[in-house]
Amino acid sequence: MNIRSLTRGDGVVIGAAVVLFIASFLSLVSLPDCSGQFCPRETSAPNAWDSLGVLMSVYLAGVIAAALIVVSRAMPGRKVANIDLGQFGVAFAVFALWTAFWTIIDMTGDAGAGMILGLLATLVLAAGAVAAPLVPALKAPLMPAPKPQVAQPYGGQPGQPGPGGYGYPGAQQPPYGGQPGQQQPYGAQPQQGQQPQAQQQAQAPAAQQGGAPAAAGDFAPFWFAVPVARPLYAEDGSPTPIAELAPGTWYLAVEQRGPGLVAQTQDGRRGVLQDTTGIQRG
């Protein structure tokens, strides 16, 4: 999973799940302080692992909710019984909060540290799961995207082509659809009346923006990054996204598909990026 695709809301959910798991090892009830022969023989209070019902309905339910929400972010469009994994995660989070609230209300003795901390963790978990897609501050990326100029994947040097002739990020190239500079190899002079090779290669995307269709053989694969998270759709035209392109990560454009691009992710999946506005070429 690409960690840069996580949002601040996902970070809140993950943090609450970690606290909830730690709380499962703390005491559920608070034992009275006493000394002498009339004290109960039990010297340690039970925790959630001593009560299967509380463990499964509060603590593990919250951890499962966080896992479903994060997995839905990594694999958008995945469904179970025609319900999105993220929706399952939100339902589990609300169920864990509901059960924790009524469990602590119905306790005969004083609630222990594990029960109090578990209630607070499920409250934060449910709030983060529900508010993450609604609050703009929680929809922001969890980690800032690095500057593309310093990215050197696979040990490549700026300006050098990678395997198969594809240029890797770091080369000084214009934004998608822009006009590159007329640079010539060292010592080479263009013939009179002949355009430089770099300018000829840029005519295909430039002509397409002007309305003239570009030939399939004129497209040269290139690396690019998106400014914000954008969905990647299947090549067969299905409306369900197969992946999500995250900012700060380089993807390979392998084909022009109308106004969009056929992009390939790091794990080999291919799809159509319909919105190419503002992308940055590597």
Side-chain angles (χ1 to χ4, degrees):
M1 174 184 174
N2 184 9
I3 192 174
R4 298 194 183 278
S5 64
L6 297 178
T7 63
R8 294 177 182 176
D10 298 327
V12 172
V13 169
I14 294 174
V18 173
V19 174
L20 189 61
F21 182 74
I22 295 175
S24 67
F25 295 96
L26 303 179
S27 59
L28 293 177
V29 295
S30 178
L31 294 179
D33 296 331
C34 66
S35 60
Q37 60 180 352
F38 298 104
C39 286
R41 295 181 179 180
E42 186 179 5
T43 58
S44 60
N47 57 26
W49 296 90
D50 298 321
S51 177
L52 183 61
V54 176
L55 175 67
M56 298 302 298
S57 59
V58 176
Y59 297 90
L60 290 188
V63 174
I64 293 173
L68 290 175
I69 293 173
V70 173
V71 170
S72 69
R73 173 71 61 178
M75 298 182 297
R78 297 298 178 93
K79 297 183 178 181
V80 176
N82 205 25
I83 301 178
D84 187 79
L85 290 180
Q87 296 175 345
F88 264 118
V90 174
F92 266 98
V94 174
F95 171 75
L97 173 61
W98 175 266
T99 308
F101 175 77
W102 290 111
T103 300
I104 199 172
I105 290 296
D106 192 49
M107 295 185 67
T108 54
D110 295 333
M115 197 67 240
I116 297 175
L117 190 59
L119 177 63
L120 296 177
T122 53
L123 178 62
V124 174
L125 176 65
V130 174
L134 303 176
V135 181
L138 296 179
K139 293 192 294 185
L142 181 61
M143 299 183 61
K147 296 182 178 180
Q149 290 79 2
V150 300
Q152 300 292 339
Y154 309 110
Q157 298 296 327
Q160 290 185 354
Y166 297 161
Y168 280 85
Q172 298 298 328
Q173 298 181 5
Y176 179 67
Q179 293 289 346
Q182 299 181 5
Q183 299 180 354
Q184 296 291 334
Y186 179 75
Q189 297 294 333
Q191 299 179 3
Q192 185 177 3
Q194 182 180 1
Q195 293 179 337
Q197 182 180 1
Q199 186 175 355
Q200 294 175 357
Q201 293 179 351
Q203 287 178 352
Q208 187 169 3
Q209 288 187 350
D218 294 336
F219 181 83
F222 61 90
W223 293 89
F224 71 93
V226 293
V228 295
R230 288 179 179 170
L232 191 68
Y233 296 93
E235 295 187 69
D236 58 1
S238 174
T240 302
I242 61 172
E244 185 178 63
L245 304 187
T249 303
W250 293 103
Y251 302 96
L252 182 64
V254 297
E255 182 183 341
Q256 183 83 30
R257 186 70 60 85
L261 292 171
V262 177
Q264 180 173 322
T265 62
Q266 290 84 352
D267 55 5
R269 289 183 290 177
R270 288 178 44 152
V272 179
L273 176 64
Q274 298 179 356
D275 186 5
T276 59
T277 56
I279 66 173
Q280 181 176 1
R281 290 186 58 164

